[in-house]
Amino acid sequence: MKRAGVSYFGVRIPRHARRDLEDIAARGYTAVLHTFSENDLAYYRGTMAEIVAASHKVGLEVQMCPWGLGRTFGGEAESRWVTFHPEACQVLDDGRRVATGCLNNPVYRAFCKEWADAALEAGADYVFWDEPHWTVPEHVGVDDPERWACVCRVCAELSGLDLSRGLTPEVQQFRERSVVDFLGEVTAHVAARGGKNTICLLPLTEGPHGVSDWDSVAALPHLSVLATDPYWKNFAESAESFVGRFARLLAETAGRHDVEAQMWLPSFGLTRDDIPDLEAAVQATHAAGVDDVWTWGYEACGHMTHLATPDSPLVWEAVTAALTGGGAATERQRVDLRDLDLRPTAELVRLINDEDRTVAGAVADAAESIAAAIDAIVERLESGGRLVYVGAGSSGRAAAADAAECGPTFSTDRIVAVTTEDEAAEDNTAAGANDLEALGVDEKDIVLAVSASGRTPYTLSAVEQAAKDGARTIGLACVRDSELTRHVQLAIEIEVGPEVIAGSTRMKAGTAQKLVLNSISTITMVRLGKTFGNLMVDVQASNEKLRARARRAVAIATAAPEDEVAEAISAADGDTKVAIVSLLAGVDAQTARSRLTAAGGVIREAVADVVG
């Protein structure tokens, strides 16, 4: 079964939940899991039915899990039941009773079936038995990880074993049989009421909490879906190997018993540095033949302090793209902003400003790739080549503007742009190649292609032509692993996420491109000696404002009196760099010019013998 799903929890106001569910469906997800805690069971049964109905209305299949139920299932929810039924809770091997329902106790099993009835009454398509397990000591405040459970009267009688001998192989087998028997009873109960069951096993096949025989679970007669959740960051293995191993086990086991296989991958607790691991985990899952893939949880759990990271928005976009196969993140619609045109002006100003704040961080994360691009550009320009920007639409206009600014600012004609103002030409696969070829690009040059989506035909064809002509190529895109960056020698990827106005890449994507291009051209000019310290000393002084700026630069660089500055500039025919070298080295303008030529135009090298 090909399905993409996500968990959703924490919101119990139906109008807010409906908006989020619309967002989930709009992003291409086909299913949702709703958590149904003991608190929900006590206070939100009707509300949960509304939320399930809203899920179905937007076309989502629904699973419902016993979130933290009795402390024997996964979830960050507390149990009321264990407070009222201590006699039916587990007992550690040291005699302490702990706040976890005993899987063998008939009172606890009856409660789990009561919960399942409520989940089905709310409209769930599947009851999702999430990580059924014996108590984990640290989860109930026990510091000693060697403790185990359960040695209660019920378990002692059912096992027929002397539980005081410790966690022997026989006891471990009994514990595992008890989990399977428990699951058999509750899944039969659900099936008898017309429901379907999913069982999600912990990614363990050994130890006190693993199920060694997954076939015993897959063989349960009322199971529809077998799942697991190999959250690799909890284990000392790489995402690809750990997830791949359990994906294969899952697929093979489910296949033997003719049940569906379902994989759960985390988006919570991940940073942007973890995104490649997440993508590798998805690929490993698909490679094993599992196409029913889910993530925990909505918006990478960015609303929950304990599970969120500052990068939750980027992780959410990445996992959505990986699971749903959605288009470029920059072009996806944000359903939460469908009422944008109804919001007050001041709120819109704050909204766009808040979105823009995220751009600088995304650019900072690409610092290494930007630096590598600059070094490559400097190398080509020092050898007499050109930096050629390529782009179309908003990206092309940003590139053309940066190239145009470099001429008067740094007195250079070796940064040029190949762009098109014709919006229709963006889709012309020949136009970009033709325009680049007309410029006469060759192996001395370096071409920097700019595309927010990374798939603009005009730009892609220009890159292909540049490679044929022997030029070095760089790609700048605002998404990961785009077609553009896969076809260049150096890639700069700035993930900005979807725009406030869907598809309007002149917004965050445009800002990111402007920041990157500005950094590239400016630092390149610094490396080429177009500055002295942080002074702009190679400006074309074509108007009074720029001539005044040149005089200030000479005065600051040399600390010479105003009359000497004016005289030096005049003798240098207005060349700021010559005037600075002349004053610092104490030589005439002709000698200063010769020194600069020998030093490749770098002031510090031209005056190295007189200035430390």
Side-chain angles (χ1 to χ4, degrees):
M1 180 186 299
K2 188 172 181 59
R3 186 162 51 182
V6 61
S7 68
Y8 182 84
F9 64 96
V11 178
R12 296 298 179 253
I13 299 177
R15 71 177 183 276
H16 297 316
R18 278 193 290 271
R19 188 173 70 180
D20 292 342
L21 292 165
E22 289 173 356
D23 181 34
I24 289 170
R27 289 172 176 273
Y29 288 94
T30 58
V32 64
L33 179 143
H34 290 296
T35 60
F36 191 31
S37 69
E38 292 182 36
N39 194 58
D40 296 321
L41 182 65
Y43 302 116
Y44 290 93
R45 287 178 72 155
T47 304
M48 291 306 298
E50 284 188 63
I51 292 173
V52 171
S55 305
H56 285 148
K57 187 174 181 180
V58 295
L60 298 171
E61 264 192 309
V62 175
Q63 300 199 89
M64 192 169 272
C65 81
W67 205 35
L69 199 78
R71 305 289 294 179
T72 61
F73 297 97
E76 293 79 16
E78 300 305 323
S79 173
R80 302 170 73 247
W81 188 89
V82 297
T83 303
F84 299 137
H85 299 85
E87 77 288 347
C89 287
Q90 296 181 38
V91 178
L92 294 177
D93 59 319
D94 62 3
R96 283 182 287 174
R97 192 175 293 277
V98 291
T100 311
C102 176
L103 295 172
N104 282 321
N105 194 294
V107 178
Y108 181 57
R109 290 192 178 193
F111 173 62
C112 291
K113 288 184 276 188
E114 175 191 333
W115 172 88
D117 288 341
L120 293 172
E121 288 168 10
D125 301 305
Y126 292 80
V127 174
F128 184 88
W129 301 101
D130 186 18
E131 299 181 342
H133 60 273
W134 292 100
T135 194
V136 178
E138 65 179 295
H139 292 175
V140 290
V142 177
D143 293 333
D144 187 352
E146 298 302 317
R147 299 274 69 85
W148 60 275
C150 174
V151 299
C152 74
R153 176 185 56 80
V154 174
C155 287
E157 291 177 358
L158 285 175
S159 70
L161 299 169
D162 181 1
L163 300 180
S164 66
R165 295 179 59 193
L167 194 58
T168 63
E170 293 78 16
V171 171
Q172 180 62 16
Q173 289 171 12
F174 165 72
R175 281 159 48 96
E176 187 169 320
R177 285 197 307 271
S178 296
V179 171
V180 176
D181 183 71
F182 168 83
L183 292 171
E185 184 172 330
V186 295
T187 54
H189 180 84
V190 168
R193 282 152 179 76
K196 292 182 284 188
N197 292 282
T198 300
I199 295 174
C200 183
L201 295 177
L202 286 165
L204 297 167
T205 55
E206 54 188 22
H209 303 295
V211 173
S212 62
D213 183 10
W214 283 28
D215 285 286
S216 64
V217 176
L220 291 173
H222 303 294
L223 181 66
S224 297
V225 181
L226 181 67
T228 190
D229 50 1
Y231 298 168
W232 64 90
K233 290 191 77 172
N234 296 333
F235 300 85
E237 283 191 53
S238 71
E240 186 174 11
S241 64
F242 188 67
V243 174
R245 180 156 55 89
F246 277 96
R248 290 188 293 274
L249 173 62
L250 175 67
E252 292 165 3
T253 306
R256 283 194 294 271
H257 300 279
D258 197 27
V259 296
E260 299 293 337
Q262 184 175 101
M263 177 62 77
W264 280 80
L265 298 172
S267 48
F268 67 88
L270 303 186
T271 68
R272 65 186 69 213
D273 293 336
D274 296 313
I275 289 174
D277 286 339
L278 176 59
E279 293 168 338
V282 175
Q283 292 171 2
T285 298
H286 288 314
V290 179
D291 292 322
D292 187 4
V293 190
W294 296 57
T295 187
W296 195 287
Y298 181 60
E299 293 188 341
C301 302
H303 67 287
M304 187 175 179
T305 303
H306 181 67
L307 298 180
T309 75
D311 298 328
S312 290
L314 285 179
V315 175
W316 173 236
E317 293 301 328
V319 74
T320 295
L323 296 192
T324 69
T330 55
E331 298 178 5
R332 283 203 293 271
Q333 182 186 17
R334 287 180 52 175
V335 179
D336 61 313
L337 297 179
R338 281 183 175 173
D339 62 347
L340 188 75
D341 56 332
L342 303 177
R343 300 189 185 190
T345 302
E347 181 182 340
L348 295 178
V349 171
R350 286 190 292 270
L351 171 66
I352 291 177
N353 183 248
D354 287 343
E355 290 293 310
D356 284 342
R357 290 176 195 272
T358 67
V359 176
V363 172
D365 287 335
E368 293 299 323
S369 57
I370 294 171
I374 292 169
D375 288 340
I377 291 167
V378 170
E379 180 185 357
R380 291 298 168 106
L381 295 187
E382 285 181 331
S383 300
R386 294 168 296 176
L387 168 59
V388 181
Y389 289 149
V390 173
S394 297
S395 299
R397 286 187 283 273
D402 193 77
E405 289 290 331
C406 287
T409 305
F410 297 111
S411 297
T412 182
D413 59 0
R414 288 194 285 151
I415 299 181
V416 297
V418 173
T419 64
T420 176
E421 292 296 320
D422 181 2
E423 297 295 329
E426 288 188 34
D427 297 328
N428 190 330
T429 55
N434 292 338
D435 290 351
L436 192 77
E437 191 172 27
L439 191 65
V441 168
D442 60 26
E443 68 279 355
K444 295 191 301 296
D445 299 319
I446 188 162
V447 173
L448 197 166
V450 188
S451 169
S453 67
R455 51 180 170 77
T456 308
Y458 178 93
T459 308
L460 291 173
S461 69
V463 164
E464 292 175 3
Q465 185 63 46
K468 290 178 184 176
D469 293 336
R472 194 158 191 192
T473 55
I474 303 169
L476 168 58
C478 293
V479 292
R480 277 184 177 271
D481 195 31
S482 68
E483 188 175 354
L484 171 63
T485 58
R486 288 196 298 270
H487 287 82
V488 294
Q489 294 165 305
L490 293 171
I492 302 171
E493 298 174 320
I494 312 294
E495 284 194 285
V496 297
E499 302 284 6
V500 171
I501 305 296
S504 180
T505 53
R506 58 179 286 274
M507 301 185 74
K508 287 192 297 184
T511 300
Q513 291 169 345
K514 169 88 170 108
L515 290 175
V516 173
L517 294 174
N518 207 4
S519 295
I520 287 175
S521 58
T522 301
I523 298 171
T524 295
M525 294 298 104
V526 170
R527 288 282 168 262
L528 292 174
K530 298 287 187 177
T531 63
F532 183 52
N534 65 346
L535 296 173
M536 200 162 53
V537 295
D538 217 355
V539 64
Q540 290 179 2
S542 56
N543 58 41
E544 185 51 40
K545 180 187 74 172
L546 295 177
R547 284 190 287 273
R549 184 178 296 168
R551 288 194 296 272
R552 285 196 301 273
V554 175
I556 293 170
T558 64
E562 188 174 331
D563 58 339
E564 292 184 19
V565 168
E567 184 180 342
I569 291 176
S570 176
D573 294 327
D575 190 317
T576 306
K577 291 169 73 173
V578 171
I580 290 173
V581 172
S582 176
L583 289 170
L584 288 178
V587 297
D588 59 30
Q590 183 176 351
T591 304
R593 199 180 304 277
S594 297
R595 282 182 172 234
L596 270 171
T597 301
V602 179
I603 291 175
R604 288 196 189 278
E605 293 186 19
V607 298
D609 58 334
V610 292
V611 178

